[in-house]
Amino acid sequence: MGLFRTRKTYYMYNPKTLEYERVYPSARERFYVFLRNISLGILMGVAAVFVFAKFFDSPTEALMRKENKLLQAQYEMLLMDISQANDVLEDLQLRDENLYRAIFHADSIPMSIRKSGFGGSNRYEYLEGFPNSELVMETTKRMDILKKQLYVQSQSLEELISMGKDMENRLLCIPAIQPVANKDLKRTASGYGMRIDPIYHIQMFHSGMDFTAEKGTDVYATGNGKVTYAAWKQGYGNCIIIDHGYDYETLYGHLDKYNVHLGQEVKRGEKIATVGNTGKSTGPHLHYEVLYKGRHDNPAKYYFQDLTPEEYDRMIQIADNHGQVMD
């Protein structure tokens, strides 16, 4: 007896009648067939979903992947822009430090401040664990450093702008001429630096510049300012000190007579005293000092409005001698 089916119709051969007779499956058999077909369909569906998910992106995933690539490209371009901005800023920093601040006699800004970054704990920990985290963290870090350096540079330029607005008055106050006229000079006895003391005959630091001239020779204020001292000073004899503002002071020692008094406002080129031989002195001369922010500076640097280039070179050569001073 054989059993076969066509589509969902089942037949069985009857040897007695020599005919195929239709067979009607039981409810249990139909249930098993249905369950088998459903299971096979579910299995094939899961397999199809797995294959599709592995090799094909969903529309949402495809959009996210495209956006991620675009974002990565934008960050890479931003890094390039930051590098170019850093180059421009570095050039501006060098100009600011070596040119602009030098012109205005402004204090230097150390590179440790100009180039400072961020220390301490990890400021960018919150960016970890995302796609392209390293790229995002590096870009954010360099952007923060650039903003900090730009802030320092902007503050520097604000300071220079303020100084520039006051430049006319500042130039009148900075000591910029010789305290004794060229025609009245016999010679420059000695300049700034280590010299042989005329009394003790040992090497000592000479904090100013000595100008030899006849007693009674006029002494001039080298910049606009206010007289803050006009009296006898130990070692200097009759002495005048002028406060020029902008952290500059000048001292005039071994004077004979005063032409100004304490608290008087003076102008550059105004006669303030005459050359003398008072105090610790070995002959008529003027001892002249320039102080910037309370510290002695070489007076030879400040004759730029009084001498020709040739005269200035000659003055530097004479002032650079290491011989004996007169005080």
Side-chain angles (χ1 to χ4, degrees), residues 46-111:
V46 170
V49 170
F50 175 77
V51 171
F52 185 85
K54 185 174 180 63
F55 297 101
F56 301 96
D57 290 332
S58 68
T60 302
E61 290 174 333
L63 179 61
M64 291 178 63
R65 192 182 298 276
K66 182 178 180 180
E67 291 177 348
N68 188 49
K69 288 183 178 179
L70 178 61
L71 185 62
Q72 181 177 355
Q74 290 175 337
Y75 267 104
E76 290 173 350
M77 291 181 64
L78 181 58
L79 270 178
M80 294 177 60
D81 291 341
I82 292 174
S83 296
Q84 294 175 355
N86 273 323
D87 292 339
V88 174
L89 177 60
E90 184 175 352
D91 180 66
L92 182 58
Q93 288 172 335
L94 291 174
R95 289 173 179 268
D96 179 61
E97 186 65 32
N98 300 320
L99 179 60
Y100 306 143
R101 303 192 77 80
I103 291 174
F104 290 103
H105 297 271
D107 291 335
S108 173
I109 299 179
M111 280 299 170

Side-chain angles (χ1 to χ4, degrees), residues 77-240:
M77 291 181 64
L78 181 58
L79 270 178
M80 294 177 60
D81 291 341
I82 292 174
S83 296
Q84 294 175 355
N86 273 323
D87 292 339
V88 174
L89 177 60
E90 184 175 352
D91 180 66
L92 182 58
Q93 288 172 335
L94 291 174
R95 289 173 179 268
D96 179 61
E97 186 65 32
N98 300 320
L99 179 60
Y100 306 143
R101 303 192 77 80
I103 291 174
F104 290 103
H105 297 271
D107 291 335
S108 173
I109 299 179
M111 280 299 170
S112 59
I113 295 179
R114 289 186 182 274
K115 299 291 187 180
S116 61
F118 296 94
S121 59
N122 185 0
R123 295 168 52 90
Y124 310 102
E125 187 175 0
Y126 70 96
L127 295 174
E128 294 178 351
F130 295 97
N132 303 309
S133 286
E134 292 185 3
L135 177 62
V136 175
M137 290 171 66
E138 178 65 18
T139 305
T140 306
K141 178 179 179 181
R142 292 179 63 178
M143 179 62 77
D144 286 347
I145 292 175
L146 178 62
K147 289 191 293 185
K148 184 175 181 180
Q149 293 182 10
L150 282 171
Y151 174 77
V152 173
Q153 184 58 50
S154 67
Q155 292 298 107
S156 174
L157 292 176
E158 286 292 334
E159 179 186 0
L160 293 175
I161 290 172
S162 177
M163 295 176 71
K165 291 178 180 178
D166 195 35
M167 191 60 177
E168 183 177 356
N169 186 62
R170 180 185 179 91
L171 288 175
L172 292 174
C173 293
I174 294 175
I177 64 172
Q178 292 185 117
V180 181
N182 279 329
K183 62 183 178 63
D184 296 323
L185 291 174
K186 287 186 175 180
R187 63 187 178 90
T188 303
S190 185
Y192 178 88
M194 296 301 297
R195 301 291 185 265
I196 299 174
D197 187 272
I199 306 299
Y200 304 109
H201 304 292
I202 59 173
Q203 285 266 335
M204 296 183 68
F205 182 74
H206 190 233
S207 57
M209 199 169 194
D210 291 342
F211 295 93
T212 59
E214 297 291 344
K215 183 178 178 180
T217 299
D218 291 342
V219 176
Y220 304 101
T222 57
N224 295 359
K226 182 178 182 180
V227 177
T228 57
Y229 191 94
W232 182 275
K233 188 174 181 65
Q234 182 66 36
Y236 293 96
N238 291 332
C239 177
I240 291 176

Side-chain angles (χ1 to χ4, degrees), residues 242-263:
I242 298 176
D243 183 356
H244 301 277
Y246 306 99
D247 298 315
Y248 286 99
E249 288 182 296
T250 51
L251 179 148
Y252 311 78
H254 311 300
L255 303 172
D256 182 34
K257 296 179 180 179
Y258 304 114
N259 288 78
V260 293
H261 56 80
L262 186 65

Side-chain angles (χ1 to χ4, degrees), residues 240-306:
I240 291 176
I241 297 177
I242 298 176
D243 183 356
H244 301 277
Y246 306 99
D247 298 315
Y248 286 99
E249 288 182 296
T250 51
L251 179 148
Y252 311 78
H254 311 300
L255 303 172
D256 182 34
K257 296 179 180 179
Y258 304 114
N259 288 78
V260 293
H261 56 80
L262 186 65
Q264 181 176 334
E265 299 284 346
V266 295
K267 301 292 185 181
R268 176 184 291 148
E270 181 178 342
K271 179 181 175 180
I272 59 173
T274 56
V275 172
N277 189 27
T278 58
K280 179 175 168 285
S281 173
T282 59
H285 76 288
L286 170 71
H287 175 81
Y288 174 66
E289 296 180 2
V290 174
L291 295 93
Y292 179 64
K293 293 190 173 181
R295 302 182 66 177
H296 288 95
D297 202 359
N298 189 349
K301 294 164 52 177
Y302 295 90
Y303 304 139
F304 49 85
Q305 287 195 5
D306 198 32

